Amino acid sequence: MAPSRKERKAAESAAGIELSHPDKSGPTEKTLLDWASERKLFDEADARQRTLGGKKGAQAPGAAEPIYVGKGDGAKVDASAVLTTTGDRVLEAILWSSSLCTLHFTLDVLVQQQYAVDLEWHTIITRTLRAFLVFFPLFYILHPHPSSPILVPAVPKRYQESIRQTIFFVGSVAAGCHLIMISNTYGYLAVMKRSPPLGCIWVWSVIELNLMPAAASVGIALAYLWLGFR
């Protein structure tokens, strides 16, 4: 059992240790807070914060937040550290288009393996690069981005998202049903040629849709498969 407080005090007294309360008086020398106050560092920090707050509030909605260097009102934007919204949009389109082309390449290989066709890698790579040239402008235009909230200029902004969702819903249903149709009725040459791009468009459209429209589009494709080719 651990010794009690009285037993510990008795043991310390017997050992010659003087018992005393800790020193609660303030510091006798200058502290870091005193140094900062003398140099007015807190005032400079407040002025810096107000300057940055005013500059950030003046930028356009959806624009990339600039990075300022320097002090006070003479602060300048560090151009090397700022990524423009257009550049960000282009990089995003390249990334997604590359992912869709990877899917296109995979589907192209799988469908040829399904029909036991000798793989022509040069032809497959050429088709994949052509697909990138198609996917990139489509994604750049249709994918929502803060720098491009307007898809149809003549339509109010509040309807833009609904227009995008409608486009992707129609694309998902059309691509899915057409892929099911050619897989069940067309010859192997048509299937090998059309399946990869249709599969990519179907997958991309479902990803872009909200949960309920995406589930509805997949349900329509499954109903088409069940009713038309059971």
Side-chain angles (χ1 to χ4, degrees), residues 8-36:
R8 288 197 302 271
K9 287 185 177 181
E12 292 172 356
S13 299
I17 300 175
E18 184 179 355
L19 301 179
S20 62
H21 292 285
D23 185 9
K24 297 182 180 180
S25 60
T28 57
E29 298 180 356
K30 290 184 178 181
T31 63
L32 292 176
L33 294 177
D34 296 330
W35 283 100

Side-chain angles (χ1 to χ4, degrees), residues 108-109 112-113 115-121 123-124 127 192:
D108 203 349
V109 172
Q112 293 193 48
Q113 289 279 14
Y115 292 105
V117 177
D118 293 335
L119 297 178
E120 297 180 1
W121 294 108
T123 304
I124 294 174
R127 285 197 291 260
M192 287 192 300

Side-chain angles (χ1 to χ4, degrees), residues 37-186:
S37 299
E38 290 179 359
R39 296 174 179 270
K40 298 181 179 180
L41 297 181
F42 295 114
D43 295 337
E44 291 183 7
D46 293 338
R48 169 71 171 166
Q49 187 66 30
R50 288 193 296 270
T51 301
L52 292 180
K55 291 182 179 294
K56 290 176 183 177
Q59 64 186 14
E65 181 178 311
I67 300 175
Y68 294 93
V69 294
K71 294 184 178 180
D73 295 335
K76 297 181 180 180
V77 177
D78 184 5
S80 63
V82 177
L83 181 64
T84 62
T85 54
T86 302
D88 183 45
R89 186 180 177 190
V90 170
L91 291 177
E92 186 179 21
I94 292 175
L95 177 62
W96 275 85
S97 300
S98 301
S99 301
L100 290 174
C101 287
T102 302
L103 177 62
H104 186 283
F105 179 88
T106 304
L107 293 176
D108 203 349
V109 172
L110 290 177
V111 73
Q112 293 193 48
Q113 289 279 14
Q114 178 182 356
Y115 292 105
V117 177
D118 293 335
L119 297 178
E120 297 180 1
W121 294 108
H122 180 269
T123 304
I124 294 174
I125 294 174
T126 302
R127 285 197 291 260
T128 302
L129 294 177
R130 290 176 180 173
F132 180 86
L133 298 178
V134 175
F135 289 140
F136 178 79
L138 286 177
F139 188 90
Y140 186 86
I141 295 172
L142 295 177
H143 182 72
H145 192 273
S147 65
S148 60
I150 304 300
L151 180 62
V152 182
V155 179
K157 185 177 180 180
R158 63 179 180 272
Y159 298 118
Q160 298 296 323
E161 181 61 21
S162 299
I163 294 175
R164 280 194 174 91
Q165 290 291 301
T166 302
I167 292 174
F168 285 118
F169 182 81
V170 173
S172 174
V173 172
C177 293
H178 190 58
L179 180 60
I180 293 171
M181 181 188 69
I182 65 173
S183 300
N184 287 274
T185 59
Y186 283 34

